Amino acid sequence: MDSKEKIAIGGSLVLMTIFFGAVVLATTSFGVKVPDCITDRKPFEESAIIRIGPNHYEVHSIARMWYFDPFMIEVPPGSEVDLYLTSADVVHGFQIENKNVNLMAIPGQVNYAKVKFEKEGEYRIVCHEYCGINHQTMAGVVKVQRIVESAAEEGSNQ
Ligand code: CUA
């Protein structure tokens, strides 16, 4: 090993010690929070489609190997959807066809998007992040169509 290599290696060791020391010092003495890897929160253990108002829905979507839960999201035209997305296993993608929604489904984290569906039709959801052997089959759908209200839901006159 020549002397320049020794200087380079020694220098980088010194720098790494300084950087690592700065992180330790920041967390112990200055109360700076360093990001953790994965939280132990379990935000959505079950998927859900909740009607929270007239033409306003909240969807809790869970990406799993290799499907989206719920597979089908049914809403009437003109609906606004608050979409919360997480993953039960590995990192997945979540893209809705013809909509400006492109999220990552990350285990232990919740991602959010607001999306409005004006026109009737089917909007496919695809996983756009390689997530294992059946990645290419991983899909879901948003079905936008008039929903016939059940008799139990009186008071709403749609
Ligand atoms: Cu999930 Cu690719």
Side-chain angles (χ1 to χ4, degrees):
M1 196 188 299
D2 77 31
S3 60
K4 281 181 185 167
E5 279 180 317
K6 279 182 187 165
I7 291 167
I9 291 169
S12 49
L13 284 176
V14 168
L15 280 177
M16 279 163 63
T17 308
I18 291 171
F19 292 154
F20 188 71
V23 171
V24 172
L25 191 70
T27 52
T28 54
S29 305
F30 297 100
V32 175
K33 279 196 174 171
V34 176
D36 299 329
C37 292
I38 292 177
T39 66
D40 55 5
R41 280 184 310 144
K42 292 187 174 168
F44 298 127
E45 295 189 320
E46 281 180 23
S47 65
I49 302 173
I50 307 159
R51 187 177 168 203
I52 55 176
N55 286 340
H56 195 181
Y57 291 80
E58 187 174 306
V59 173
H60 300 175
S61 176
I62 305 171
R64 302 175 188 275
M65 289 168 162
W66 286 276
Y67 61 101
F68 292 108
D69 175 17
F71 167 73
M72 187 186 284
I73 301 167
E74 252 185 293
V75 294
S79 290
E80 199 164 69
V81 175
D82 286 313
L83 176 71
Y84 295 89
L85 174 72
T86 190
S87 168
D89 35 54
V90 300
V91 173
H92 297 274
F94 185 103
Q95 184 162 21
I96 303 178
E97 181 185 38
N98 295 325
K99 286 286 162 190
N100 192 19
V101 173
N102 185 337
L103 296 173
M104 302 300 291
I106 300 165
Q109 306 283 330
V110 177
N111 273 334
Y112 169 80
K114 189 187 257 312
V115 54
K116 195 157 188 186
F117 294 95
E118 300 284 8
K119 285 189 204 155
E120 289 195 26
E122 291 195 358
Y123 300 79
R124 283 173 297 179
I125 302 167
V126 293
C127 175
H128 60 75
E129 183 71 28
Y130 183 73
C131 56
I133 196 153
N134 280 328
H135 158 72
Q136 76 281 356
T137 66
M138 188 166 166
V141 67
V142 182
K143 206 169 184 178
V144 182
Q145 63 176 17
R146 293 195 182 283
I147 295 174
V148 180
E149 303 272 335
S150 71
E153 280 187 89
E154 283 173 34
S156 63
N157 47 0
Q158 284 195 317

